[in-house]
Amino acid sequence: MIFDPSIEEFFQKLGQPKKLKRGDSLFSMGEVPHYLYLVRTGLLGSNILAESGSELLVRLFAPGQLVGHRALLVDEKYHSNAIALQDSLVLSVEKELAVESLQKNSKFCFSVLKMLGKELAFTENRMMSLTEKDVTARVAEALIYLRELYPDYKWTRKEIAEFCASTAPTVIKVMAKLEEEGYISQKGREFHIIDREGLLQVCQCEP
Amino acid sequence: MIFDPSIEEFFQKLGQPKKLKRGDSLFSMGEVPHYLYLVRTGLLGSNILAESGSELLVRLFAPGQLVGHRALLVDEKYHSNAIALQDSLVLSVEKELAVESLQKNSKFCFSVLKMLGKELAFTENRMMSLTEKDVTARVAEALIYLRELYPDYKWTRKEIAEFCASTAPTVIKVMAKLEEEGYISQKGREFHIIDREGLLQVCQCEP
DNA sequence: CGTTAGTTTGAGGCAGATCAACTTTGGTGG
DNA sequence: CCACCAAAGTTGATCTGCCTCAAACTAACG
C-alpha cells in the first residue's frame, strides 16, 4: 500500500495513538463514527455479516491506510465492523477536526480523494471477480492478494473463504487442487505461492 | 441522486456540453481518461464484461452524478465502459483542469470526496448483496433501486439481470413469482411496484 | 498432554445457470 | 394501416458447481 506524505503528516501532527490487540474491535456496525483512523502498524479487517449468518471480509487495512473515512464522509452509521487481525497501532483524529481539515486543506483533501478513488476502483474490481468468476479463480486471486498485502500473516482457510465469498471446505479443496497443479505449496497451515504467473492465469478463469 | 451545488457550479462555469444518443459510448475499457464528466440529463451505465462473456452493470449514472472521476483520480486506464442508456447530455471538463481545480479549491474537492464516499458505501453494500443474497432478494432489490433511480426508463430483463448478477430467464421467473405474490405488476415489458414495503422485506432474504 | 481452534474429507442436495424452442412486442417501411 | 421482422420476453428440461453437513483428523498453545 502506498503511503501518502500529506496524510501521514496530518496524522503525525494531530493523531492520538491507539493500540489494538489481535481480535480487538475498532468499531462495530451501527455505531456513530467519531474518529478518522490511520493504520500505523499491524492489520485490520472490516467485515459485514449477512442475515444468513455468513460473513464477508469487505476490506483489509494495512499500514498507511485510512479507516472509517467512508462512514465519516457520508455521515451515516458504520455498516461494517472493523477488527484487528493482528496487534496493531492506529492513529485517531476526531471527526470534526478531520472534516474541518479536509474542507480547509485542499492538498490533504486531494490526497484522501485519491486514496478513496483507489479503493473504489479496487472494490469495483472485486465485485466483478466475486460475481463473475468461479471459485477456483476467486481463491487464486485471493491467495495472491492476501499474501502480498501481508506476507507474514497466517491466513486461515476461513479468512480466505470470507474474502472470496466462499466457504472453508471449498477453499481447502481448491487449494489442494492448486497445490497438485504446482501453483502453490502447503505445509501445515501455511501456504506459499510457487508459480505466481500461473496463478494469475488461473484468475482469468481458465475453461 | 443529490445534486451538489459546488460541483454543479464548477461544471456550469467550465463544462463543455456533449450530447449522447441512446447506445452511444462515452468511453471504453482500456482508454486513457482525458475528461471528467457530469451527467446533466438522461442516463448512463458503466459495465464490465468478464472473460466468460457475461456483463455486469457496475454502476448507473443519473443526472447530477460524476462520471470518470475514479479512473481520473487513480491515473489508470478505464476498466469499464460507459454508455448512454438514454439520450443524454453530459458536461465535460479536461482532466488537467479538473485535477488542478480539485487541488486548489478545497470546497470543490470536499464535495467530490463526499460523492465518492457515497459511491464507495453503495458499492460495498452492493458487493454484499450480490455475494450473500439469493436471486429473489437481489432481483427485488434491483427492481426497487432501478425503478427509483429512473422511474421512466423501460428496464429490460437483461439489464435487470446484469445489474443483479443473474440471467434474463432467471429474472423473468423471479418476477413472475413476485407478481404472483402481489409485490409487483407487469403489463407487457413494463413493471410496477405495488408493495414496496413487502419487496423490502424480500430483500432481507426471507427463508 | 489436554484442549481448543483450525483443517480435511466425502456424501448429498439444490439453487440457479444454461440451452433451446417458442411467443410476444413494438417499431418500421411498404 | 397492415405486414413484417428484429428484439425482447417466456417457458421447461436439464445439468452442475458449490454449499452444506457432519465426522474425523491435526496443529498449536498453555
Side-chain angles (χ1 to χ4, degrees):
Chain A
M1 198 44 58
I2 301 115
F3 288 82
D4 185 289
S6 140
I7 291 174
E8 292 292 324
E9 186 195 331
F10 174 77
F11 277 89
Q12 197 64 47
K13 221 180 277 176
L14 301 170
Q16 299 294 320
K18 185 180 170 78
K19 281 186 183 177
L20 295 169
K21 287 212 164 301
R22 176 181 166 81
D24 284 356
S25 165
L26 186 60
F27 54 76
S28 303
M29 273 177 81
E31 285 178 20
V32 178
H34 289 303
Y35 297 95
L36 178 63
Y37 304 97
L38 179 77
V39 182
R40 257 286 129 104
T41 63
L43 180 64
L44 309 202
S46 87
N47 57 19
I48 306 185
L49 35 93
E51 286 79 7
S52 59
S54 57
E55 285 186 20
L56 180 67
L57 203 43
V58 180
R59 221 164 357 140
L60 291 161
F61 305 97
Q65 288 218 269
L66 292 174
V67 190
H69 45 327
R70 196 204 11 69
L72 186 141
L73 286 167
V74 178
D75 211 22
E76 283 174 358
K77 291 174 181 174
Y78 291 118
H79 68 182
S80 62
N81 306 303
I83 55 161
L85 298 178
Q86 292 223 303
D87 292 358
S88 305
L89 179 66
V90 301
L91 299 177
S92 67
V93 170
E94 283 204 11
K95 176 182 170 157
E96 287 70 24
L97 181 54
V99 170
E100 200 182 305
S101 305
L102 285 169
Q103 283 171 325
K104 276 189 197 152
N105 183 345
S106 68
K107 203 172 161 191
F108 175 52
C109 187
F110 189 67
S111 291
V112 175
L113 188 58
K114 276 202 290 192
M115 197 168 271
L116 215 68
K118 267 179 207 148
E119 288 182 32
L120 184 58
F122 179 77
T123 304
E124 281 183 6
N125 281 330
R126 256 194 92 203
M127 186 164 76
M128 175 68 190
S129 293
L130 293 181
T131 55
E132 305 286 342
K133 293 183 181 175
D134 61 27
V135 222
T136 307
R138 267 148 47 210
V139 171
E141 199 166 69
L143 293 181
I144 295 178
Y145 175 72
L146 296 175
R147 171 59 70 231
E148 283 167 14
L149 177 76
Y150 217 97
D152 299 330
Y153 186 75
K154 301 212 184 312
W155 301 100
T156 68
R157 309 304 182 232
K158 186 154 176 289
E159 283 165 341
I160 298 169
E162 278 167 14
F163 186 78
C164 65
S166 179
T167 60
T170 300
V171 167
I172 286 158
K173 285 162 195 170
V174 170
M175 285 179 73
K177 195 181 68 177
L178 292 175
E179 182 173 30
E180 206 177 298
E181 291 168 348
Y183 296 120
I184 64 172
S185 69
Q186 302 185 71
K187 28 184 171 170
R189 296 179 174 174
E190 255 324 310
F191 73 89
H192 288 284
I193 291 171
I194 294 176
D195 180 7
R196 191 177 184 281
E197 283 308 305
L199 262 194
L200 279 173
Q201 297 285 332
V202 175
C203 293
Q204 316 303 81
C205 244
E206 29 150 31
Chain B
M1 198 43 59
I2 302 115
F3 288 82
D4 185 288
S6 140
I7 292 174
E8 292 292 323
E9 186 196 330
F10 174 77
F11 278 90
Q12 197 66 46
K13 221 181 276 176
L14 301 169
Q16 298 294 320
K18 187 179 168 77
K19 280 186 185 178
L20 295 170
K21 286 210 166 301
R22 176 180 164 81
D24 284 358
S25 165
L26 186 59
F27 54 75
S28 303
M29 275 177 78
E31 286 178 20
V32 178
H34 289 305
Y35 296 95
L36 179 63
Y37 304 96
L38 179 77
V39 182
R40 258 287 130 106
T41 62
L43 181 64
L44 308 203
S46 88
N47 57 20
I48 306 185
L49 36 92
E51 286 78 9
S52 58
S54 56
E55 285 185 21
L56 180 67
L57 203 42
V58 179
R59 220 162 359 137
L60 290 162
F61 304 97
Q65 289 220 267
L66 291 173
V67 190
H69 46 328
R70 198 208 6 72
L72 185 142
L73 286 166
V74 179
D75 213 22
E76 283 174 359
K77 291 173 181 172
Y78 291 117
H79 69 181
S80 62
N81 306 302
I83 55 160
L85 298 178
Q86 291 221 303
D87 292 358
S88 305
L89 178 67
V90 301
L91 299 176
S92 68
V93 170
E94 283 205 11
K95 176 181 169 157
E96 287 71 23
L97 180 54
V99 169
E100 198 181 306
S101 305
L102 286 169
Q103 283 171 327
K104 276 190 196 151
N105 182 345
S106 67
K107 202 172 163 193
F108 175 52
C109 188
F110 189 65
S111 290
V112 175
L113 188 58
K114 276 201 291 192
M115 196 169 271
L116 215 67
K118 268 179 208 149
E119 287 182 33
L120 185 58
F122 178 78
T123 304
E124 281 183 6
N125 281 330
R126 257 193 92 202
M127 186 162 77
M128 176 67 191
S129 292
L130 293 181
T131 56
E132 305 286 341
K133 293 183 182 175
D134 62 27
V135 222
T136 307
R138 266 148 49 210
V139 171
E141 199 166 69
L143 293 181
I144 294 177
Y145 174 73
L146 296 176
R147 170 59 70 232
E148 282 167 15
L149 177 76
Y150 218 97
D152 299 329
Y153 186 74
K154 300 210 183 313
W155 301 100
T156 67
R157 310 304 184 236
K158 187 154 176 290
E159 282 165 342
I160 297 169
E162 278 167 15
F163 186 78
C164 65
S166 179
T167 59
T170 300
V171 167
I172 286 160
K173 285 162 194 170
V174 171
M175 285 179 73
K177 195 180 68 177
L178 293 176
E179 182 173 29
E180 206 177 299
E181 292 167 349
Y183 296 119
I184 63 171
S185 68
Q186 301 185 70
K187 28 184 171 172
R189 295 178 176 173
E190 254 325 310
F191 73 89
H192 288 283
I193 291 171
I194 294 176
D195 180 7
R196 191 177 185 279
E197 282 309 305
L199 263 194
L200 279 172
Q201 296 286 332
V202 175
C203 294
Q204 314 304 83
C205 246
E206 28 151 32

